Amino acid sequence: QVQLVESGGGLVQAGGSLRLSCAASGRTFSNYAMGWFRQAPGKEREFVAAISSSGGNTRYADFVKDRFTISRGNTKNTVTLQMNSLNPEDTAVYYCADSRLALFTITQSKYDYWGRGTQITVSS
């Protein structure tokens, strides 16, 4: 059974940084793309970033604007999201997701497994 466990969430002031990690288990991690999504209160869940199975290709949402970096460690079965220059609009629950594809995708339906999420709160 695939399990994804996020960590690294918390409260940060505007302009600050946080680093999210997601530990995966249950299948061959290096075969599949991984992604991060987020859901703010009262809003739909939205794509944040994705990385291909090899780590060689990445994709970001426009609102990231070079502030976030996704990376993965296939020997440790982890994917991370480094978030810099955070602003209050980044406040949301952030979810790690495991795709059925090797290439990255921004489509939520292409992700088979999801973590429980970790809360990020950015104060102004």
Side-chain angles (χ1 to χ4, degrees), residues 64-116:
V64 168
K65 295 179 181 177
D66 298 323
R67 299 182 297 130
F68 296 0
T69 302
I70 188 171
S71 60
R72 65 188 295 159
N74 283 349
T75 57
K76 295 185 177 180
N77 290 2
T78 58
V79 60
T80 61
L81 185 68
Q82 177 66 43
M83 303 184 294
N84 300 326
S85 302
L86 287 162
N87 57 62
E89 290 71 36
D90 294 315
T91 295
V93 177
Y94 284 70
Y95 298 90
C96 172
D98 193 341
S99 172
R100 69 185 67 163
L101 307 174
L103 294 177
F104 63 77
T105 175
I106 67 172
T107 305
Q108 295 189 42
S109 62
K110 301 296 186 183
Y111 289 84
D112 290 333
Y113 302 99
W114 296 79
R116 293 187 175 185

